Structures are given as structure tokens and as C-alpha cells.
Amino acid sequence: MKNTSIKIAALSKADYEFWLPLWQNYLKFYETSLPSSTNQNTWHSLLDSNVPIYGFGAWQDDKLVGITHVVLHPTTWSSMACCYLQDLYVDESVRGQSIGRILIEGVYNFADEKCCNHVYWKTQESNTDARRLYDNVASLTDMVQYRKNL
């Protein structure tokens, strides 16, 4: 069921006080926290036209109820850029209203406008609620992520 009362828009400087609680709840969901300097850097990067990081919000009745952050980057496998959907969060009070799907579709539209060849993201294997949605809007790959923190 598509929720037509949701409006997707790029985040703007005036949205900070609405964005920050959602961002903090997203971090809490992943059982992490970041220094305030990192949160500030993230916010400024979302607004900086010289940084290929973009933020979008889902608005319902003038209330920010969901956010997504994406990173555009080149790839060695194509002459076109690709879009990494790095963060996606919908407020718990409005889950089940297709807002996550609408945000993802908004990212698809943005990536298409930017001539990207694909959108990709990752999530925790145990994030079953989100994965039910993701299974309906994208294809699960067989890639395994390795990581070394520096």
C-alpha cells in the first residue's frame, strides 16, 4: 500500500532539528553512537554541494518521519557512477506505512537523474523487518563484506 501523503525532499539547512533525533535513533538501532563532531560533519556533508553525499527526508503532515543518506561514487566496472544507499531510517511510530519503500524509490529516482548505473546497500543479516522490504524492491546478491577498521 503506497502512502500518498508522504513527500520526499532533499534535506535543507532548516531541517537539522528534525533530522538529528532520527539520526540518533538510527544510530541507537545499530547500538552505536558517534561523537558530536562526526554528527556535525555528517550534517554539513549532506548540505555541501562539493561532497557527493546527499540526504533526503520523508515528510508526513510537515513532520520529518524518515531519512536516507546516499553516496555517489565512481566504479571500475562502468563508466557511470553508482549510488550507495548508506543510511535509511523510518521513525518507529510510522513504520508499516510504506515510508521505507517510498524513500528507496526516491533514491532510485535521484540515482537515475544522476545517471548512476545501480543503487546498492547493506544491512545486518538479522534485520528481518527491513529485509522483507528489501527483498521486494531489489535483488539480494551473493557478495560478502570484509572489513578492517583503521
Side-chain angles (χ1 to χ4, degrees):
M1 174 176 100
K2 195 166 200 172
N3 188 331
T4 56
S5 68
I6 298 298
K7 303 295 181 226
I8 303 299
L11 293 172
S12 70
K13 189 175 182 179
D15 299 331
Y16 178 76
E17 68 185 76
F18 308 111
W19 169 85
L20 186 60
L22 292 177
W23 175 242
Q24 294 294 338
N25 286 337
Y26 174 73
L27 296 174
K28 186 164 49 169
F29 174 82
Y30 280 108
E31 299 176 353
T32 193
S33 63
L34 296 173
S36 62
S37 60
T38 302
N39 294 330
Q40 288 298 314
N41 184 66
T42 297
W43 177 249
H44 291 296
S45 293
L46 294 171
L47 302 177
D48 187 341
S49 62
N50 295 312
V51 178
I53 298 175
Y54 304 85
F56 300 94
W59 297 87
Q60 183 178 54
D61 301 324
D62 297 323
K63 180 181 179 195
L64 186 62
V65 295
I67 56 172
T68 188
H69 306 145
V70 301
V71 179
L72 301 185
H73 65 86
T75 175
T76 60
W77 287 41
S78 173
S79 59
M80 300 168 71
C82 58
C83 178
Y84 175 45
L85 194 166
Q86 187 163 19
D87 308 305
L88 174 69
Y89 182 78
V90 173
D91 188 271
E92 290 181 13
S93 68
V94 294
R95 289 193 186 153
Q97 298 181 31
S98 299
I99 297 168
R101 176 185 295 270
I102 295 167
L103 277 164
I104 292 170
E105 289 171 358
V107 169
Y108 289 167
N109 290 335
F110 173 77
D112 189 49
E113 290 170 7
K114 295 292 188 178
C115 298
C116 294
N117 68 346
H118 70 275
V119 175
Y120 71 101
W121 62 91
K122 59 186 178 181
T123 193
Q124 289 177 326
E125 188 173 10
S126 62
N127 192 354
T128 55
D129 289 340
R131 290 187 67 195
R132 272 193 293 281
L133 167 62
Y134 302 160
D135 287 342
N136 286 301
V137 298
S139 299
L140 179 64
T141 71
D142 62 355
M143 300 302 289
V144 177
Q145 180 186 23
Y146 289 85
R147 180 179 182 150
K148 165 87 170 115
N149 289 334
L150 303 175

